[in-house]
Amino acid sequence: MMSRFFQSDGVYYFLRTPSAIVAAIIVVIIVGGAIFAPWIAQSNPYDLASFSLMDGLLPPVWQGGDPRFLLGTDNQGRDMVSSILYGARLSLFIGFMSMAIATVLGVGLGLAAGYYGGRFDAIVMRIADVQLALPAILTALLIDGISRGLLPPSVQQDLRVVVLIIAIALSLWVNFARTARASVFVERNKDYVQAAMIMGQRPSRVMLRHILPNIMGPLLVIMTVDLASAILLEATLSFLGIGLPADSPSLGTLIRIGMQFQLSGEWWILWVPTIVLAALVVSINILGDFLRDIFNPRLR
Amino acid sequence: MAYFILKRLFQSIFVMLAVAFLAFSLFRFVGDPVSQMTGVETSVQDQEQLREELGLNDPFVVQFYRFTTDILKGDFGYSYRTRQPVNEMIASRIPATIELGITALMISLIVGIPAGVYTALRTRGFATQTILLTTLVGVSIPTFVIGIVLIFLFGVTLGWMPTFGRGGTVDLGGWTTSFLTLEGWSYLILPAITLGVYQLTLTMRLVRAEMMEVMRSDYIRFATARGIPQRKLHYRHALGNTMIPVITIIGLQFGGVIAFSIVTESVFQWPGMGLLFLESVRFVDIPVMGVYLVVIAFFFVLVNLVVDILYLMIDPRLRVKEAI
C-alpha cells in the first residue's frame, strides 16, 4: 500500500516541484503549530494570569529583547509567538469548518441539481445566480449584520465564531455547487452510471458512491483554493472589526491590533502576524495550483 | 438573438427581485422598525399609530409591492442612525467609490495586459518566472495587507503620499471628483493601487492564458509565414483576438471591485459607499444596509447583462449558435 503511494504520479510530480515542497513544509509547520498550540506555546493569550504587563512592548530577540520572548511582546505583555500559534489555531479552525460546510452544502446541492435536473436544478441555479450577484465579502458582512440584529446581545459574543463560520460558508458554496453540477452532467451519461441506475440502486447511492468519487479531482482543487479564501475572508472580517472580538484573537484580529503600533515603531506587533498569514495563504494557493496541474494532464 | 436578450433580461429582473426581497426581509424581520424610529418615552398608542401610518400592518405582499415601487421611484427611506434620507447618503458617497474603482481598473489594465503578453511570449525567461511568482503572491495577500504595506512605505517611511481620506475634491454639480487636481490624485493613488493589485493579477493571468492559446493557432503560424513583423503580429493579430474573453471578465470584475472597495476604503478611510456600509453594519442600520445591497446587485446585474449582449454582438459565432 505504502509503496504504491510513493510510486504514484502525484508524488512523482510533487518531488520534482520545489515550490510545492516549500509550500507544503510551510503549511505543515503552521498547521502543526496551530494544532499543538496548547502544548507548545509558553503562555496562553486567553489566560490573563499567564502574562504580565511588565513585559509589554519588548522587541524581538535580535533587536535586544528578552530571550524569553523570541519575537517580542505586544502592549499587554503577551508573547508574540504564543499569540500567533493561538491566532493561527483559530483562523485555521474557522477556515476548515467553513470550507467543510461549504463543500457539503455545495456538493450536495450541485450533485442533486445535476442528477435530477428540471425544476430542482432551476431553483438551485437561480439561488446561485442571486448569490453570485453578491460578492463573497458582502454576503459575509450581511450575515454578520443580520445576526447582530437578530441575536440577543447576551449570546452574541459566544456565538461570534459560529456566525463567522456560517457567514463564510454561505458565501463560498456556489463554486462547489456549479462544479459538481457541471461534472454530473458529464458523468451522468457514462456507462458506469447508467449501469448503476439500471441495477436499481437508489439515487443517493449512485450520486455518492459512483459519481462523487469520479469528480473528486476538481473538487479537491476548489477545496484547497477555498480554504485559502476562507482564511482570507476571516482575516478580512476580523481586520474590519466585525469578525472576532479582540479577546479571542485570530490572525486578522492580531493584524488589526498591530495597526495601532504602525506609527510608533513597534513593527513586530503588526508584521509578525501579517507575514504568517501571508505565508500560510500563499502556500495553500501554491498547493492548489499544483493540484490543478496534477488533475489537468494537458498542462504538464 | 432577440429571444436570447429577452431571456437574459428576465433572468436579470428575477435576480433583482430576489435581492430586493432579501433587502425587504432585512427591513421587516431584523429588529422592529417602529422601536428603532421611536424613543423610550413614546407611548404604546403612538407606536401603534406610527405602525399603522407606515403600513406595517398591511399584508406582506402589499408591503413588498410598496417597497419595490418606492425603490424604483428612488425613495429609499431614512437611516436609523443619522435620520437622513438614505438616497442622499448613498448619492453623496457614490462618486468616491466609482472613481476609486475606475482608477483601480485602469491600473490593472495598463499594467496587466502588457505583462500578460510579455509572459505569454517568453514562457521560460527569468523575468516571466519572477512575474508569475509575484502574481501568485498578489492573489494570496489580503487586500488590507497590501494597503498597510503601501501606507507604511509611502506614507510613513517616505512621507510622499497622504494616507487618510480623500483630500480636496472639485465639485462638478453634485459629483465630487479627485481627478482634476494634483492633490486629489495624491490621495487617490495609494488606495487605487491597493484595490487594483488583485484585478491586475487576474487580468495578467487571463491575458497570458488566452495569448498562449492564440499563439498556437494556425492563422498566427500562417501570418508568421507571410512575413508580418513580430510586433504587429503580437499586438494586432494575436492580442486582438484575446480581447473578447478579457473584456468579458473585466466587465464582470467591476462589480467585484466596487464590493471589495469596502476593505480598501476602511484601510484608507476613503469616504465611499463601502465605508458607509461598514458603519451601518456596525450600528445595525438596516435601511442603509438594504439599499447598499440593492445598489451593488443592480450594478452587478447591469454590467453582467451589458457584457452578455456585447459579447453576442462582437462574436458572430455565438449568434449562429443561438439561431440553431
Side-chain angles (χ1 to χ4, degrees), chain A residues 126-127 129-130 132-138 141-142 144-146 148-150 232-233 235-236 239-242 252 255 259 262-263 267 270-271 274 277-278 281-282 285-286 289 292, chain B residues 11 14-15 18-19 22 26 29-31 136-137 139-142 144-145 148-149 151-152 156 205 255-256 259-260 262-263 266-267 277-278 281-282 284 289 292-293 296-297 300-301:
Chain A
R126 287 299 83 76
I127 297 175
D129 277 351
V130 175
L132 280 181
L134 305 170
I137 185 159
L138 196 58
L141 280 171
L142 211 66
D144 194 271
I146 294 172
R148 270 163 210 267
L150 285 181
L232 274 190
L233 212 52
T236 305
F239 173 79
L240 293 175
I242 23 202
I255 295 171
M259 275 286 269
Q262 189 182 20
L263 299 176
W267 58 271
L270 171 63
W271 290 105
T274 308
L277 177 68
V281 179
V282 172
N285 273 335
I286 290 176
D289 266 20
R292 178 171 307 157
Chain B
Q11 218 174 334
F14 169 80
V15 171
V19 172
L22 212 69
L26 275 180
F29 301 116
V30 181
L136 195 65
V137 176
V139 177
S140 312
I141 289 183
F144 64 86
V145 171
I148 297 172
V149 173
I151 290 181
F152 191 75
V156 180
R205 289 181 147 220
F260 261 93
I262 295 176
V263 181
S266 165
V267 175
F277 178 70
L278 218 55
V281 169
R282 230 168 255 158
V284 200
M289 280 166 69
Y292 180 80
L293 196 68
I296 290 283
F300 215 73
V301 167

Side-chain angles (χ1 to χ4, degrees), chain A residues 16-30:
Chain A
R16 273 155 194 78
T17 317
S19 61
I21 296 176
V22 175
I25 291 172
I26 294 175
V27 169
V28 167
I29 290 174
I30 296 178

Side-chain angles (χ1 to χ4, degrees), chain A residues 44-53 76 78:
Chain A
N44 179 352
Y46 299 101
D47 180 10
L48 289 170
S50 71
F51 51 87
S52 149
L53 266 178
Q76 308 275 334
R78 279 183 289 229

Side-chain angles (χ1 to χ4, degrees), chain B residues 15-84:
Chain B
V15 171
M16 276 320 296
L17 272 178
V19 172
F21 183 76
L22 212 69
F24 173 68
S25 314
L26 275 180
F27 273 110
R28 197 64 199 84
F29 301 116
V30 181
D32 178 18
V34 171
S35 63
Q36 288 278 356
M37 292 164 85
T38 54
V40 199
E41 62 272 20
T42 317
S43 71
V44 180
Q45 282 88 352
D46 285 348
Q47 284 198 10
E48 278 313 308
Q49 199 191 342
L50 181 65
R51 196 179 295 276
E52 190 62 43
E53 274 171 22
L54 291 170
L56 290 173
N57 292 331
D58 293 343
F60 186 81
V61 183
V62 177
Q63 287 190 42
F64 181 54
Y65 174 76
R66 196 159 44 214
F67 176 81
T68 323
T69 44
D70 277 353
I71 285 189
L72 288 177
K73 280 186 257 169
D75 177 7
F76 293 146
Y78 291 83
S79 155
Y80 290 163
R81 184 167 58 99
T82 61
R83 317 272 152 183
Q84 286 172 317

